[in-house]
Amino acid sequence: MTGETYRALVASEESNGLVAPSVKELNISSLPANEVLIQVKYSSLNYKDALSATGNRGITRRYPHTPGIDACGTVVYSAHPEFHKGDQVVVCGYDLGMNTPGGFGQFINVPGSWVMPLPEGLSFRESMMLGTAGFTAGLAIDRMLHNGQAPENGPVLVTGAGGGLGSLAINILSGMGFQVIAATGKTADAGYFRSLGAAEVIAREEVTDQSGKLLLRPRWAGVVDTVGGEILSSVIKSCKPHGNVAVCGNALSYELHTSVYPFILNGINLLGIESATWPMIRRRQVWDKLATDWKPQMLNEISKEISLDELPHYIGLILKSNIRGRVFVNMET
Ligand SMILES: NC(=O)c1ccc[n+]([C@@H]2O[C@H](COP(=O)([O-])OP(=O)(O)OC[C@H]3O[C@@H](n4cnc5c(N)ncnc54)[C@H](OP(=O)(O)O)[C@@H]3O)[C@@H](O)[C@H]2O)c1
């Protein structure tokens, strides 16, 4: 396939030194040599992709570069014993789209250890409606369940509720019988959060402690936090004894100021959620649950399909927190 070309969103350094994304034609032979060549059908847009597409060197060291931490599609060539031409597969995380050309290209070439079969029960489209955001929500919930989270313990708070991870976490948790509280900057969209299954919708300011107290009135039995910073430090203080706080993201801040009291007096479990390198065997277990019992009922309502040509516009929107739910990309349009 060496002479063949494909379309990709390429982030390149411009004459002013800034990095900006645009759609370009590339040769398949320009992909790094690897074990599994995949024709990408769908990808998805995550916050990290937007950072990579606009020159964040903490994520992507060298440009030009094709971002996209998620991809699904069909195997074109495989030198890996588990995969064969024609197999339907998914790749999420590892180094895809970071410093390896990612899912915003119509072809990717990756190590077999990053590839998993498309989970039974999911279509290609659904796998990317979920993508890394859905997998991370599933992983957080899985870790919380292993630490004793149960609906009868009390409600679960989801922060950054309007984002992809937050929206999916609400819908999965409510489907499992949890009472869910959504904390958001988009309280005007209360109807949306209720349609996902949130029992209560509160402004993000309502969860942010101004008192400086070391412990607060217990309000929730668990938290899926996607924002970090003072919201995370506040929700830890308001968690019921032996509750779980899953630390997923830093949409507000990477900082966390806290004391030992929530942990030594209330037994709070702080669970670090890292999706990119989660071991494949356990990764597949979470994906299998997402494809069956935990499948979000409102996946279509949470997700918006766009074309490759529309991606630069949506990258701008996600950076301004101007997107609700998930955006996934049809790579054939
Ligand atoms: N740990 C992992 O492996 C992993 C995997 C995937 C994502 N993440 C991280 O998780 C976070 C959420 O990901 P996502 O895909 O859901 O992103 P997203 O779709 O961009 O959503 C982020 C949400 O965060 C909230 N937010 C944004 N700016 C805020 C601010 N200044 N203060 C408070 N809240 C703010 C907004 O929620 P409202 O709309 O409700 O106001 C926004 O919708 C990101 O930091 C991402 O990097 C981590």
Side-chain angles (χ1 to χ4, degrees):
M1 302 193 69
T2 33
E4 287 188 35
T5 59
Y6 68 98
R7 297 175 77 232
L9 182 103
V10 181
S12 319
E13 211 159 349
E14 299 188 326
S15 51
N16 58 9
L18 297 177
V19 171
S22 62
V23 177
K24 295 201 166 127
E25 196 95 8
L26 300 177
N27 199 300
I28 289 181
S29 61
S30 68
L31 284 168
N34 229 318
E35 289 178 317
V36 188
L37 179 66
I38 298 163
Q39 183 163 16
V40 178
K41 302 274 185 212
Y42 291 94
S43 182
S44 90
L45 178 59
N46 298 276
Y47 193 76
K48 212 188 218 179
D49 300 319
L51 295 178
S52 169
T54 51
N56 185 311
R57 308 239 174 210
I59 291 175
T60 298
R61 289 187 297 277
R62 283 179 297 280
Y63 293 90
H65 168 68
T66 298
I69 62 173
D70 292 334
C72 69
T74 308
V75 173
V76 175
Y77 165 83
S78 174
H80 189 278
E82 196 185 342
F83 300 103
H84 303 95
K85 188 175 176 187
D87 286 354
Q88 301 191 324
V89 294
V90 172
V91 184
C92 290
Y94 298 97
D95 192 50
L96 187 70
M98 308 270 285
N99 290 289
T100 301
F104 294 167
Q106 289 172 322
F107 285 86
I108 56 171
N109 203 10
V110 294
S113 58
W114 297 3
V115 183
M116 62 174 204
L118 178 70
E120 215 172 302
L122 289 182
S123 65
F124 272 143
R125 288 178 91 245
E126 289 172 330
S127 73
M128 289 296 108
M129 290 175 176
L130 290 163
T132 287
F135 172 63
T136 307
L139 181 57
I141 292 165
D142 196 50
R143 302 273 323 274
M144 291 167 79
L145 293 178
H146 277 109
N147 275 276
Q149 200 73 45
E152 55 270 26
N153 299 350
V156 173
L157 176 76
V158 176
T159 66
L165 211 167
S167 295
L168 288 165
I170 293 170
N171 200 216
I172 297 168
L173 284 163
S174 76
M176 296 168 75
F178 283 93
Q179 190 192 345
V180 184
I181 305 173
T184 180
K186 301 185 177 85
T187 45
D189 291 353
Y192 166 74
F193 296 111
R194 289 194 189 282
S195 76
L196 302 187
E200 203 181 329
V201 182
I202 57 179
R204 58 167 82 129
E205 293 75 22
E206 266 189 64
V207 300
T208 312
D209 174 52
Q210 307 290 350
S211 73
K213 288 181 182 168
L214 295 174
L215 290 172
L216 300 168
R217 174 177 64 87
R219 294 171 74 184
W220 29 76
V223 182
V224 176
D225 178 64
T226 71
V227 301
E230 57 183 1
I231 291 184
L232 175 57
S233 56
S234 301
V235 301
I236 290 170
K237 293 194 274 189
S238 306
C239 196
K240 291 187 182 194
H242 309 120
N244 299 298
V245 179
V247 182
C248 299
N250 59 349
L252 164 61
S253 170
Y254 62 84
E255 290 191 25
L256 171 59
H257 300 285
T258 186
S259 76
V260 298
Y261 290 130
F263 311 103
I264 65 169
L265 296 182
N266 283 347
I268 303 302
N269 303 300
L270 200 59
L271 306 178
I273 307 302
E274 195 277 329
S275 64
T277 61
W278 195 247
M280 182 53 88
I281 187 160
R282 295 171 73 189
R283 174 180 295 264
R284 288 190 188 190
Q285 288 163 359
V286 172
W287 272 102
D288 284 343
K289 287 180 193 158
L290 289 168
T292 53
D293 300 355
W294 296 1
K295 191 166 178 178
Q297 292 305 304
M298 301 291 283
L299 204 44
N300 282 299
E301 290 74 8
I302 291 170
S303 314
K304 180 179 174 59
E305 178 173 334
I306 64 165
S307 67
L308 179 56
D309 290 312
E310 290 175 292
L311 246 179
H313 173 65
Y314 280 87
I315 285 169
L317 292 184
I318 201 169
L319 286 172
K320 291 189 209 125
S321 193
N322 254 345
I323 286 179
R324 194 180 72 181
R326 291 277 294 151
V327 167
F328 69 106
V329 192
N330 185 336
M331 294 300 296
E332 293 178 329
T333 57

